[in-house]
Amino acid sequence: MTENIKMAELLLPDIKNTPDYYENMYPERNLPEGARVVRVAPSPTGYLHLGTLFAALVNRITATSTGGVFFTRIEDTDKKREVEGGIEDIIDGLNRFGITIDEGFTVGSTQSGEYGPYKQSMRAEIYQTYVKKLIIDGLAYPCFCTAEELEQVRAEQEKNKIRTGYHGEYAKHRNITFEQAKALIDAGKPYVIRLKSPGNEQNRIVFEDGIKGKIEMPENDEDFVLLKSDGIPTYHFAHAIDDHLMHTTHVIRGDEWISSVPKHIQLFRLLGFKPPKFAHVAPIMKLDNGAKRKISKRKDPEAAVRFFAEQGYESENVIEYLMTIASSDFEDWRRANPTVSYKDFKFNLKKMSVSGALYDENKLLDVSKNRIALLKSYEVYEKLTAWAKEFDEPFFKLLTANPEYTKSILAIDRDNAPKPRKDLAKWNEAKEFYAYFYDETFVPCYCLPEHIDKADAAAFLSEYIKIYDEKDDRQEWFAKIKQIAPTLNFAAETKEYKANPDNYKGHAGDLSTVLRIAITGRTNTPDLCSIMQVLGKEECIKRIENTIKNLEV
Ligand code: GLU
């Protein structure tokens, strides 16, 4: 037995397979030319993060638009950071946003697919098999340095202004012999397994990033850790093995990984794998006191995707908004194709922002308003009540006590309107928005605009109540207001008023404002005639009479 084989047997005696075993187990995928195999690989360390959702969306549409595969893989090599239920939160969260998953963890904690297991903690033996091969090839070795020793080296490097890290002469165990390793192991010393990097810092590696274009970096010469002392791999090593065996064609991930690409490409080459294409997605940014910064888990509530659900953003509207961030030409496409699914958009990674798009809440509200304006009242009813059921139980009860009544409210300026009103952007606005339709939430207000006299308003309402007919259509409804106007010295037509403002107290529009305030307590609402029809005669008369009483005191 050569020295390397002895070392490999010493360190990984239980590993009996060779890489060929896995290479045969996970053959090439049978996909059409050009199909991209992509994935998200979240760590179950908490809730679904906006950045993960964004990366998942970009991967999903890449797979969809090329007829490829989108899978998930759970990167749970850091057990200390794992939270209970973390996997389900992420996977179910993606599903809720309509990000369907072809393979891997598809729903909750169930896995499916031919290339699994899709959870790194279940793949220890696979990683160890490849590490064993690297040891035999003289490309990996055990390192017994303690955390304190490594810290000392780092301090010395910093003091002498030398690049920090386990490289060159600082790689203490790089040439450790079998005998030395055996003695330390026999003495019970813990160890990690490191790569014996053949790289040279003076050499450059060049690669074409799918988003950022050509990138050049120094070759990796650091003997970084492959397997930690518990036999679990580091991210770098697990990434190379998994994306090779799962036949990922494009690694589309957060750009915090870009500086690690030299390590990754080196690993792929040393293991004899063809490297995938890399595309690094810039994070979503936020303006904070005029400066751009990454959205932060600590500072920004919207970092957790749950925030959008709580606020009552429709998940498809959030996706729609993220698409505008993902691709600079999405909005033009959307204008030309207002009603089709975003999934039909021909996505191209090259159209992504290189430096990070800004999260813009107003834009999200705007996109959401436009999308909600396309819905029919029954759809709004379903979505709104589903939201309220989860997040606002009293409001849910209010909305569903009389579903037909609520639907007729939601139909105003919507179902038959040539241009539906764009108002609601998220469901948590609805309670306040529709408050005046429900006795429980209606707050009367008797405050008039400054230029309208209380006595005139009361006189108008008293006249109006006499001729009000709940069956009037919009024209008839307004004609009645105009009819009363001159009797109170208000102009029936706005243009008459504008021509001679001194001759009038106001115009018919002002009187309709009086009526609006009486009925809704507000000066700005959707079509008042429709509102009155929905509220019904009895309620309208009650509100008008109450207002008259309040104006007269
Ligand atoms: N677990 C890594 C992360 O969450 C995955 C990066 C990758 O997609 O390769 O950042």
Side-chain angles (χ1 to χ4, degrees), residues 106-296:
T106 49
V107 183
S109 55
T110 42
Q111 309 187 39
S112 66
E114 303 292 305
Y115 293 85
Y118 295 88
K119 186 178 177 183
Q120 290 182 332
S121 58
M122 296 167 78
R123 301 172 63 79
E125 204 172 313
I126 305 179
Y127 305 122
Q128 291 173 10
T129 303
Y130 284 86
V131 168
K132 193 163 185 180
K133 166 83 165 51
L134 288 177
I135 300 169
I136 294 171
D137 292 346
L139 289 168
Y141 64 90
C143 162
F144 293 85
C145 285
T146 60
E148 292 74 42
E149 279 178 280
L150 294 174
E151 194 34 58
Q152 252 170 27
V153 171
R154 165 179 276 274
E156 190 192 322
Q157 288 170 327
E158 273 170 2
K159 195 171 111 222
N160 299 328
K161 304 215 164 13
I162 290 165
R163 187 165 46 92
T164 57
Y166 203 91
H167 54 77
E169 61 184 283
Y170 299 95
K172 181 173 165 195
H173 294 104
R174 192 172 162 92
N175 296 313
I176 192 167
T177 62
F178 167 78
E179 304 304 336
Q180 289 166 331
K182 183 160 188 324
L184 287 165
I185 289 172
D186 288 347
K189 300 277 183 226
Y191 61 90
V192 298
I193 298 184
R194 289 182 181 270
L195 178 75
K196 192 168 189 173
S197 169
N200 180 337
E201 215 236 338
Q202 304 305 319
N203 297 339
R204 314 284 292 169
I205 68 141
V206 182
F207 73 99
E208 185 69 27
D209 186 274
I211 295 168
K212 301 193 190 256
K214 185 171 157 191
I215 294 186
E216 237 189 277
M217 279 189 264
E219 211 170 70
N220 172 62
D221 68 345
E222 204 186 317
D223 286 359
F224 60 92
V225 175
L226 304 176
L227 283 189
K228 296 181 264 187
S229 53
D230 54 4
I232 295 297
T234 54
Y235 166 74
H236 306 304
F237 191 63
H239 150 56
I241 301 299
D242 293 346
D243 283 316
H244 166 69
L245 291 177
M246 296 175 182
H247 298 279
T248 306
T249 63
H250 290 68
V251 169
I252 307 171
R253 62 183 173 190
D255 70 1
E256 68 273 24
W257 293 111
I258 207 155
S259 59
S260 305
V261 173
K263 289 191 173 93
H264 301 161
I265 290 185
Q266 181 180 45
L267 275 180
F268 275 90
R269 292 198 178 130
L270 295 176
L271 288 157
F273 305 159
K274 178 174 177 237
K277 297 256 186 301
F278 290 97
H280 289 91
V281 178
I284 300 177
M285 312 290 279
K286 200 168 170 171
L287 266 189
D288 188 353
N289 280 327
K292 249 174 136 186
R293 63 159 173 81
K294 271 191 190 186
I295 288 210
S296 127

Side-chain angles (χ1 to χ4, degrees), residues 51-121:
T52 308
L53 177 63
F54 186 54
L57 171 64
V58 169
N59 276 284
R60 173 68 272 178
I61 47 181
T62 297
T64 303
S65 60
T66 59
V69 175
F70 168 63
F71 72 88
T72 55
R73 178 172 71 229
I74 301 297
E75 304 209 332
D76 60 340
T77 54
D78 189 351
K79 286 288 171 197
K80 287 195 291 296
R81 295 179 56 226
E82 190 164 335
V83 299
E84 177 132 356
I87 298 179
E88 290 88 335
D89 268 7
I90 294 171
I91 300 301
D92 294 342
L94 293 177
N95 279 304
R96 216 167 311 124
F97 278 84
I99 309 282
T100 47
I101 304 161
D102 302 323
E103 186 182 306
F105 281 76
T106 49
V107 183
S109 55
T110 42
Q111 309 187 39
S112 66
E114 303 292 305
Y115 293 85
Y118 295 88
K119 186 178 177 183
Q120 290 182 332
S121 58

